[in-house]
Amino acid sequence: MEPLNESLFDAQALEFPAALASALAPAALPGHFDELRGQATAAAPSALAKPGAGAAVPASAPAPLLYDAMAERPPAALSQSQSQSQSSQTQSQSQSQPQISPGDTPPLTPAWNAFFDQLGPGGFNDLPRRAVSLDRQIRDNGVTYNVYADADGPQRPWSLDLFPLIVSPESWSQIEAGVLQRVRVLDRVMADVYGPQQLLSEGLLPPALVRGHPGYLRAMHGVKPPGDTWLHIAAFDLARGPDGNWWVVSQRTQAPSGLGYLLENRLAVTRQFPQAFEALHVQRLAATYSAMMEGLQGMCPAGVPPHIALLTPGPYNETYFEHAYLARYLGVTLVEGSDLTVRDQRLYLKTLQGLRPVHGLIKRLDDQFLDPLELRPDSTLGVPGLLQAIRAGNVLVANMPGSAFLESPALLGFLPGLARRLIGEKLKLPALPTWWCGERAALEAVLPQLGDCAIKPTYPGSDGQTSFDAVLGSQLGRRELDEWAGRIVREGDAHTVQSYLPLSQMPTWASDLGPGHIAPRAVLLRVFAVSDGAQSWRVLPGGLARLAGANAQIASMQRGGSSADVWVQTHGEVDRTTLLQPHATPASLARHRAPVTSRAAENMFWLGRYTERAENAVRLARLTLNLLGGEDQSSLALLEWLHRMAVRNALVPAEAPSAPKSRRVFERALVAELGDVDKGGSVGYSMRCIRQAAAAVRERLSQDNWNQIVRAEADFLRRAAEQAGEGSFAASAALRALESASTALAAMTGAQTDRMTRDDAWRLLSIGRHIERLGFLSNALGAGFDNGAVHEVSGFEAMVALFDSTITFHARYQQRRDVATMVDLLVLDAENPRSLAWVTQTLRGRIARLAGSAPGKLTALSYELPDPASWTLEHLCAAGPDANYPALIELLANCETAAYHVSDAIGTRYFTLTSESLRSVGA
């Protein structure tokens, strides 16, 4: 049961917040370091009596030939033998940090004392408001982390705690020096493994951990990376032991996540505590990101300036928000594999203007998916021929493919020897004692201690696991431990055992435990080393703190954990570097037009089409339900027209009884289909497609626009589900849902019209909208003339309403209702945005501008659409021998056919880059 503190809302909270925090915040659990008080909590006697996890190999056991498990210092205070083996530095730190005895209430660290003292006049009473504000900010910013992201599932909001993890300058000095040293070693390990392979021949690395690892890429052997740098971004997961020292738990080199989330964490949390952030002299982050980009640009093999892109698996990846956020922050192009192509051993981006060279690639994709020609042939996420372009030296990739074997936990035990061999230094930042069970001596030494250790797969995918998730021996029963021991004996090389370290615990704002509580949570710190030039790195002065759940011993976002911002203090001046350039002069300003990828263009095009399609479907459904529920239902032609339009736009199944035959059955069928997300054409389906298309181009949408789209879909589907239980009132409930959807769609349209830059992406969105509008309205008007519905008063009014022109019609023509007035307003009026003339003329112009034509000059594709300048009222209203209007009917058919013909031509010309569009620009 987690210890809880009393309510924080009393008069003292306003005057002495730090003292109140000290009195009310529970201490860390026994045996854990307390970040709030800067010392360990005394362990219970039973815990002290347990044998240490990762104890030294018995003297009688043969020493491993390759594996130096004890080269890393084991956690202090876990066993007597380990405590005696601590270095003098660790001993002095342990002596200077007395343990908290049960019942003691020691003061807070100076940093935490200053943090709470800076809460301001509201003190603790203001913390609930700040917590609510933080949650709202995360939701409003659309920060998400989807463990199992899919096309239809709801997105899970990012979990962020109100309090930051505060790291002192002394602790950060140890972390920074150790991380810089480790990234140098790992980079040189890669250089040797894909070069002379002396480490393998000298026996410093087991071949099974390199050549036997699925992440080792033989295709990269002999490659010389730009700047002789293999690793540009490396992440290290650190834990603070009971002795106050930091220990390396794992390392990530393939595509480490967190660089974007920690930025969002910093912005969100500092907004809640601006005074504390300044008072504690917290290091800023912008300078490191800027240095990283400058380093990548400087190492790119060609291009002035070089073009760098960020490769993402796509919007269904669990960390896609971070990819889009980071690309926007760094000013690089966010791309998917389908956006790229390789020509003549060079990487190109497929844009609306043709093929644009790419000189650098920040990848957020696992190596195996990068190139279906040489790696996984079933991958649709990579770029065919990418490895060939890398081997030719024509593109920099961060990180270079082939680093996955470095992530194996088994490698941690070999790094001390590798450091001595490669850089002639002893590692400054220890890793947890780790045993690779592929060596008999290590296997025999660790089997008796499984109950006190963590069992990890050596390779991803072993034992049915897809990552390096740990199984804690302390959570296993005797039978399960025996089963694991047997499994490890049978397949020793597939298993790695690591000492278990009780994670330090930091204070968190536990609003779920009641109003105003502070609760300790176990924390794992991820820090990042980034390259700022050839064979040069720096450590980002911050990180991503991951918090374990209330009853969990492992800090994992996938297991329901949360995150916290990381504040690194400095004794010196705070670096206030910003990515803004306020002193730029007009003469130095060069307007950079971000490229529009063919994939982004296609999604913008369909975003426009589905938005218009949803609006049309909503308007048609509302009109139909209102007419079916009205008093005057005598017009069979009107009912036939409504049925025909509903079937054509998939609002009802084709086999549903027609409205003239059974109005109520037809009505129920229409209502039942509204929220069906699997039926193309239904309102629910179109709303979902809007969200999916928008998710693929989220980096191009404002946060307000994205929030509108997400809320609109969720609200309509909820209302549609609720109306299913309304019984005889289902039509009324459906009308309320449709009215709400209409309002939401109008807001989306407004955002698309007034809050987006008029670039080619916006032009395609607008073209998509108007293609859909032209096809829908032409078909509707043609159907009305075909069955004669427009020649009756009710049908005439319904047609004008479907064109959303009722107010204009009555204001202009009073009570006159005839074909001439209808054609004048709905077909010829150049000022009515829903008239066919206005839509067609707008389409012709925007298609021409998309092709780069000067204003007023049209292109060949524009001429595929009818020319409104040639339309006349007299010609279109001329009646034929059968009392119909042949010229008008022909024009309506031509408009509908031309709309979809132009749609196909745009797809061929701009999205698939066939025919004359296969050209390079700026090569």
Side-chain angles (χ1 to χ4, degrees):
M1 189 72 178
E2 181 170 326
L4 302 180
N5 53 332
E6 299 297 329
S7 174
L8 301 177
F9 300 100
D10 54 44
Q12 299 181 37
L14 296 174
E15 299 181 11
F16 308 107
L20 190 63
S22 178
L24 297 181
L29 294 177
H32 296 257
F33 187 85
D34 191 335
E35 296 285 350
L36 187 64
R37 297 175 174 87
Q39 49 193 300
T41 304
S46 58
L48 290 173
K50 292 179 66 175
V57 179
S60 58
L65 296 177
L66 299 175
Y67 191 66
D68 188 4
M70 295 307 298
E72 304 275 18
R73 297 178 298 166
L78 292 182
S79 69
Q80 183 178 0
S81 62
Q82 291 171 356
S83 298
Q84 294 174 350
S85 66
Q86 290 295 322
S87 65
S88 58
Q89 177 186 3
T90 303
Q91 291 174 356
S92 62
Q93 287 185 348
S94 300
Q95 294 169 1
S96 65
Q97 296 173 346
Q99 292 184 335
I100 304 171
S101 300
D104 289 350
T105 56
L108 310 184
T109 65
W112 279 107
N113 194 78
F115 175 85
F116 285 111
D117 279 341
Q118 292 294 327
L119 289 181
F124 274 100
N125 283 350
D126 198 36
L127 288 178
R129 180 196 63 80
R130 300 189 198 209
V132 171
S133 175
L134 180 67
D135 290 342
R136 184 185 302 114
Q137 183 177 345
I138 293 297
R139 290 195 305 270
D140 290 346
N141 288 353
V143 189
T144 57
Y145 176 85
N146 303 326
V147 180
Y148 301 108
D150 59 70
D152 301 330
Q155 293 189 319
R156 168 185 164 188
W158 177 248
S159 183
L160 174 61
D161 194 75
L162 182 63
F163 295 148
L165 172 66
I166 302 176
V167 182
S168 69
E170 293 75 21
S171 288
W172 186 251
S173 177
Q174 177 199 10
I175 291 172
E176 185 176 33
V179 166
L180 284 175
Q181 187 187 50
R182 281 180 173 268
V183 74
R184 287 168 52 209
V185 174
L186 293 179
D187 185 84
R188 291 302 87 196
V189 169
M190 276 198 75
D192 179 81
V193 164
Y194 290 107
Q197 297 191 340
Q198 293 179 352
L199 299 177
L200 296 175
S201 61
E202 294 175 12
L204 294 174
L205 259 182
L209 294 184
V210 179
R211 295 171 182 156
H213 195 288
Y216 172 70
L217 304 182
R218 289 169 176 78
M220 293 296 295
H221 189 77
V223 172
K224 300 294 183 183
D228 193 27
T229 302
W230 289 83
L231 298 178
H232 304 88
I233 304 171
F236 298 85
D237 291 327
L238 310 179
R240 192 198 286 251
D243 62 352
N245 284 325
W246 291 93
W247 302 78
V248 176
V249 178
S250 60
Q251 54 204 21
R252 294 289 177 263
T253 54
Q254 256 196 117
S257 61
L259 280 176
Y261 284 121
L262 70 86
L263 273 174
E264 180 64 31
N265 286 359
R266 172 60 56 88
L267 293 174
V269 172
T270 54
R271 185 172 295 177
Q272 304 303 322
F273 304 106
Q275 294 86 359
F277 185 77
E278 290 292 335
L280 291 174
H281 295 90
V282 180
Q283 289 277 37
R284 270 50 168 189
L285 306 174
T288 303
Y289 285 93
S290 179
M292 180 185 76
M293 289 306 299
E294 291 175 1
L296 292 177
Q297 291 169 353
M299 287 186 284
C300 281
V304 181
H307 180 203
I308 298 178
L310 191 151
L311 178 62
T312 172
Y316 301 142
N317 183 264
E318 66 269 17
T319 57
Y320 179 73
F321 165 83
E322 177 178 68
H323 306 168
Y325 184 92
L326 194 59
R328 183 180 294 177
Y329 181 79
L330 298 177
V332 300
T333 308
L334 184 66
V335 300
E336 296 181 26
S338 59
D339 294 326
L340 303 170
T341 186
V342 173
R343 298 281 190 276
D344 298 326
Q345 299 185 353
R346 295 183 181 276
L347 186 64
Y348 292 93
L349 177 66
K350 294 183 283 188
T351 74
L352 292 180
Q353 288 73 37
L355 301 180
R356 177 174 175 179
V358 175
H359 310 103
L361 201 61
I362 303 173
K363 69 177 178 69
R364 292 302 306 272
L365 191 64
D366 286 348
D367 293 343
Q368 291 292 335
F369 297 93
L370 284 175
D371 188 343
L373 290 183
E374 300 191 46
L375 301 173
R376 282 190 56 160
D378 61 339
S379 172
T380 60
L381 305 176
V383 188
L386 179 59
L387 291 189
Q388 188 179 14
I390 294 173
R391 287 194 296 267
N394 292 327
V395 61
L396 176 146
V397 178
N399 290 330
M400 289 290 284
S403 67
F405 75 93
L406 296 176
E407 298 183 344
S408 174
L411 196 71
L412 291 175
F414 296 93
L415 284 178
L418 296 174
R420 292 191 294 267
R421 168 65 173 79
L422 294 172
I423 63 175
E425 299 175 7
K426 182 180 179 180
L427 290 179
K428 302 174 182 178
L429 186 64
L432 293 182
T434 311
W435 293 264
W436 176 52
C437 297
E439 290 186 320
R440 176 162 294 277
L443 173 66
E444 293 175 350
V446 80
L447 280 179
Q449 306 172 43
L450 282 184
D452 298 316
C453 295
I455 306 169
K456 296 184 176 182
T458 301
Y459 314 110
S462 57
D463 288 319
Q465 301 185 57
T466 58
S467 63
F468 297 113
D469 291 340
V471 175
L472 297 182
S474 60
Q475 296 179 344
L476 302 176
R478 184 70 261 169
R479 180 177 178 180
E480 292 173 307
L481 280 173
D482 291 341
E483 291 176 353
W484 272 104
R487 207 175 305 171
I488 292 172
V489 169
R490 290 191 301 271
E491 300 178 345
D493 61 336
H495 296 87
T496 298
V497 178
Q498 190 175 69
S499 288
Y500 171 70
L501 177 71
L503 300 177
S504 67
Q505 296 191 328
M506 64 169 283
T508 63
W509 182 252
S511 57
D512 57 321
L513 301 177
H517 287 93
I518 296 177
R521 290 283 189 273
V523 59
L524 192 67
L525 172 61
R526 173 168 289 191
V527 297
F528 296 84
V530 300
S531 64
D532 55 5
Q535 283 296 295
S536 176
W537 293 267
R538 65 171 65 187
V539 181
L540 186 75
L544 182 68
R546 290 179 289 169
L547 307 177
N551 300 312
Q553 301 183 57
I554 297 177
S556 170
M557 300 302 293
Q558 292 186 341
R559 298 189 181 187
S562 59
S563 70
D565 189 19
V566 178
W567 289 9
V568 175
Q569 293 182 279
T570 177
H571 289 315
E573 290 293 325
V574 173
D575 188 341
R576 300 183 182 273
T577 300
T578 174
L579 296 187
L580 299 176
Q581 298 181 354
H583 304 297
T585 61
S588 65
L589 180 62
R591 178 172 293 181
H592 171 68
R593 176 174 293 183
V596 181
T597 67
S598 298
R599 176 193 53 84
E602 185 172 12
N603 280 286
M604 291 292 282
F605 176 78
W606 282 101
L607 176 60
R609 288 198 65 171
Y610 277 116
T611 305
E612 183 69 22
R613 187 174 297 179
E615 281 197 86
N616 294 336
V618 166
R619 189 176 296 107
L620 178 59
R622 291 179 69 189
L623 176 66
T624 303
L625 291 176
N626 281 321
L627 290 173
L628 292 176
E631 296 180 0
D632 183 10
Q633 300 178 7
S634 59
S635 175
L636 291 180
L638 173 60
L639 294 178
E640 290 173 356
W641 176 72
L642 291 174
H643 176 261
R644 178 173 172 178
M645 290 299 298
V647 171
R648 190 263 182 188
N649 291 280
L651 291 181
V652 297
E655 62 275 10
S658 66
K661 291 181 179 179
S662 180
R663 288 192 295 271
R664 292 306 166 214
V665 175
F666 174 78
E667 179 185 88
R668 287 196 294 270
L670 189 151
V671 170
E673 295 289 314
L674 288 178
D676 192 333
V677 296
D678 297 321
K679 298 289 181 65
S682 72
V683 178
Y685 181 87
S686 295
M687 297 289 275
R688 174 142 297 176
C689 289
I690 291 172
R691 196 253 300 164
Q692 291 173 347
V697 289
R698 187 172 172 184
E699 74 279 6
R700 291 187 166 272
L701 304 179
S702 70
Q703 192 56 53
D704 286 344
N705 194 357
W706 170 252
N707 291 342
Q708 287 171 349
I709 292 170
V710 173
R711 285 196 297 265
E713 181 205 15
D715 180 69
F716 180 78
L717 295 181
R718 176 185 59 80
R719 288 173 177 269
E722 290 175 354
Q723 60 87 20
E726 292 281 342
S728 60
F729 299 100
S732 299
L735 281 169
R736 292 193 296 271
L738 290 168
E739 182 178 357
S740 176
S742 179
T743 302
L745 288 165
M748 288 185 212
T749 302
Q752 294 173 3
T753 303
D754 295 333
R755 299 189 178 184
M756 295 185 70
T757 304
R758 265 49 174 174
D759 60 359
D760 285 341
W762 178 85
R763 290 188 185 94
L764 276 165
L765 182 146
S766 179
I767 288 170
R769 285 187 62 91
H770 289 96
I771 282 176
E772 194 70 30
R773 183 177 301 179
L774 181 61
F776 175 81
L777 295 179
S778 299
N779 176 267
L781 191 55
F785 273 95
D786 184 57
N787 82 330
V790 296
H791 299 304
E792 300 179 5
V793 173
S794 56
F796 191 102
E797 293 285 355
M799 186 65 70
V800 173
L802 188 62
F803 273 69
D804 200 17
S805 302
T806 300
I807 295 176
T808 303
F809 183 86
H810 289 294
R812 182 177 299 179
Y813 303 108
Q814 302 300 318
Q815 297 301 315
R816 180 179 173 183
R817 295 181 181 86
D818 54 42
V819 172
T821 56
M822 175 178 286
V823 171
D824 185 52
L825 180 63
L826 304 187
V827 179
L828 298 177
D829 193 340
E831 297 178 352
N832 180 7
R834 293 197 174 272
S835 78
L836 302 186
W838 189 94
V839 174
T840 305
Q841 190 61 37
T842 301
L843 263 177
R844 286 160 64 95
R846 292 197 175 144
I847 289 172
R849 289 286 291 146
L850 183 65
S853 297
K857 294 196 67 176
L858 300 181
T859 61
L861 188 55
S862 299
Y863 285 111
E864 296 290 331
L865 293 162
D867 182 8
S870 64
W871 306 350
T872 64
L873 186 62
E874 292 77 9
H875 179 64
L876 295 179
C877 292
D882 54 355
N884 211 325
Y885 300 88
L888 176 61
I889 299 300
E890 182 182 5
L891 173 64
L892 296 177
N894 288 342
C895 285
E896 183 179 8
T897 301
Y900 300 122
H901 170 74
V902 168
S903 175
D904 293 340
I906 286 174
T908 301
R909 171 67 177 81
Y910 294 106
F911 307 150
T912 61
L913 287 184
T914 57
S915 66
E916 77 280 1
S917 63
L918 276 179
R919 62 189 188 282
S920 300
V921 291

